[in-house]
Amino acid sequence: MQYDNFPDNTIHSPTLRVNGKNFSSGYLAAKKAIDDRALNRHVWETLCQALPQATGRAPVNIIEIGAGIGTMLARVVDWGLLTGPATYVITDCAEDHLREGRQYLSKWAAQRGHDLSWQDYRRGRLFTASADVSLVVVVASAQTVADGSDTLGRFHLLIAHALLDLVDFPVLLPKLLMRLEDNGLAYLTCNFDGDTLFLPEYPGEEEKEILRRYHASMEARVSGASTTGRRLLTFLQRPGVTLLAAGSSDWLIHPRDGHYTIDEAFFLNALIATVKRELVDKNGPTLSGLSAWAGVRHRQVEAGELTFLARHLDLLARRYRPLP
């Protein structure tokens, strides 16, 4: 495989972002299984307990920011969060993601035996054994949603998955939280928190410098991005907000009997290629050992020898009054 020709639009994650807003829908689908394993179950269970308290007897209204192809919607249905009537607003800045998301969700629903129909390109209806979900698809960036009018209404739950380290969240998140009903919830997941690790250890000091520069490239895009998780821990304890739960949601991929799943192998090769591409001609002179490092790590994936860890935090918060 020619790793230098690996697509530069394969990544959409806290630690990996290429070409601004262009991400591969195939990668987003492959990443779902990795996210499923990583998401913190304590935070999830707290959400399941808190959501009925936030809605009372009203149908639950949910908005997801940066929803990609809809994998989080599939997850919240599969994991039993939605029971009864609900509205789920799916937003993303990439129209092609949302278009491909309709296909992804239709295939997922058929596999699960759910009834999903689309009235047009922006409205659908999902019936499951326990839920009746009206789907609304909106092409909009997180900033547009935060700054927009009240045409979308108010929500009981805001979801932002693998997103907040890509934006200036201290500016954006207060506006998004004000789109919640009183006592509304914010489920904020896979927020990168400063640590990337490849094993076995690479000889010498080159990998330390590669990862230092890679984290610096996140900071160059958004100040503080590489420590988003811990910054959110403090931010969500401000007046008007209660932090209900927090916990780690690390990506941890290791071989089993010298093998990975197809999704894991794709993810690891994409990650290595992206780190290399991100650092070429950026953040100072190109490292002389960068190509050699990437080649070694790719070969370790092929041999079933590489372990990867990225630190993340999941958080659940309640907004109980207007923010100061």
Side-chain angles (χ1 to χ4, degrees):
M1 183 174 187
Q2 297 299 312
Y3 298 112
D4 286 340
N5 295 326
F6 209 92
D8 16 347
N9 63 346
T10 52
I11 304 299
H12 178 204
S13 72
T15 54
L16 305 169
R17 182 178 185 239
V18 182
N19 288 352
K21 301 174 183 176
N22 297 320
F23 309 117
S24 162
S25 60
Y27 180 81
L28 297 178
K31 188 170 72 75
K32 181 179 182 297
I34 297 168
D35 286 340
D36 284 347
R37 190 169 64 211
L39 288 169
N40 188 280
R41 294 309 175 101
H42 164 65
V43 178
W44 173 261
E45 290 167 3
T46 305
L47 170 63
C48 292
Q49 296 168 4
L51 186 58
Q53 302 170 15
T55 62
R57 296 185 177 181
V60 60
N61 292 326
I62 300 172
I63 186 167
E64 184 180 356
I65 310 299
I69 61 172
T71 56
M72 181 60 80
L73 170 60
R75 181 179 294 115
V76 301
V77 173
D78 286 343
W79 290 8
L81 180 66
L82 300 183
T83 58
T87 298
Y88 197 108
V89 179
I90 304 169
T91 75
D92 198 276
C93 61
E95 187 172 4
D96 58 339
H97 281 175
L98 297 175
R99 180 175 59 253
E100 292 161 3
R102 289 191 289 272
Q103 299 174 7
Y104 172 85
L105 290 170
S106 295
K107 182 178 179 180
W108 159 80
Q111 292 172 338
R112 299 296 194 276
H114 303 323
D115 180 6
L116 173 58
S117 60
W118 295 99
Q119 298 169 245
D120 52 40
Y121 68 94
R122 55 183 308 269
R123 292 189 181 274
R125 194 75 175 268
L126 171 66
F127 292 97
T128 74
S130 59
D132 172 4
V133 187
S134 296
L135 304 178
V136 180
V137 179
V138 179
V139 181
S141 68
Q143 189 69 57
T144 299
V145 174
D147 291 341
S149 67
D150 288 334
T151 55
L152 293 176
R154 299 285 172 177
F155 299 91
H156 301 106
L157 175 61
L158 165 74
I159 298 175
H161 175 66
L163 175 75
L164 293 182
D165 38 17
L166 303 178
V167 299
D168 187 4
F169 82 77
V171 173
L172 192 68
L173 190 53
K175 298 177 183 179
L176 291 172
L177 291 176
M178 291 309 298
R179 295 205 158 276
L180 293 171
E181 300 278 8
D182 291 342
N183 297 314
L185 303 168
Y187 181 53
L188 313 173
T189 52
C190 277
N191 300 289
F192 183 65
D193 197 45
D195 197 8
T196 306
L197 178 67
F198 293 92
L199 294 172
E201 291 186 4
Y202 194 78
E205 298 295 313
E206 287 172 319
E207 185 167 86
K208 292 180 182 178
E209 179 62 13
I210 288 168
L211 295 179
R212 186 196 69 78
R213 292 194 188 189
Y214 189 64
H215 292 166
S217 74
M218 302 179 203
E219 295 289 328
R221 285 191 294 266
V222 179
S223 178
S226 67
T227 54
T228 295
R230 68 194 67 178
R231 293 168 60 228
L232 278 167
L233 276 172
T234 301
F235 180 90
L236 294 174
Q237 297 179 64
R238 63 192 296 166
V241 181
T242 299
L243 181 62
L244 299 180
S248 61
S249 54
D250 300 341
W251 283 339
L252 177 56
I253 300 174
H254 61 86
R256 290 168 296 282
D257 297 323
H259 298 283
Y260 306 99
T261 67
I262 293 174
D263 290 343
E264 288 171 342
F266 182 87
F267 175 90
L268 290 170
N269 280 319
L271 184 148
I272 295 161
T274 301
V275 171
K276 178 184 175 183
R277 187 176 296 107
E278 182 73 6
L279 297 189
V280 171
D281 298 327
K282 293 182 180 180
N283 304 301
T286 301
L287 291 168
S288 59
L290 181 60
S291 292
W293 169 84
V296 168
R297 291 312 196 188
H298 281 307
R299 289 192 292 273
Q300 288 172 336
V301 175
E302 289 187 339
E305 297 172 349
L306 186 67
T307 293
F308 169 73
L309 171 71
R311 300 286 186 189
H312 303 92
L313 289 178
D314 288 356
L315 305 107
L316 176 69
R318 173 182 286 127
R319 185 190 68 78
Y320 60 89
R321 60 182 171 84
L323 303 182

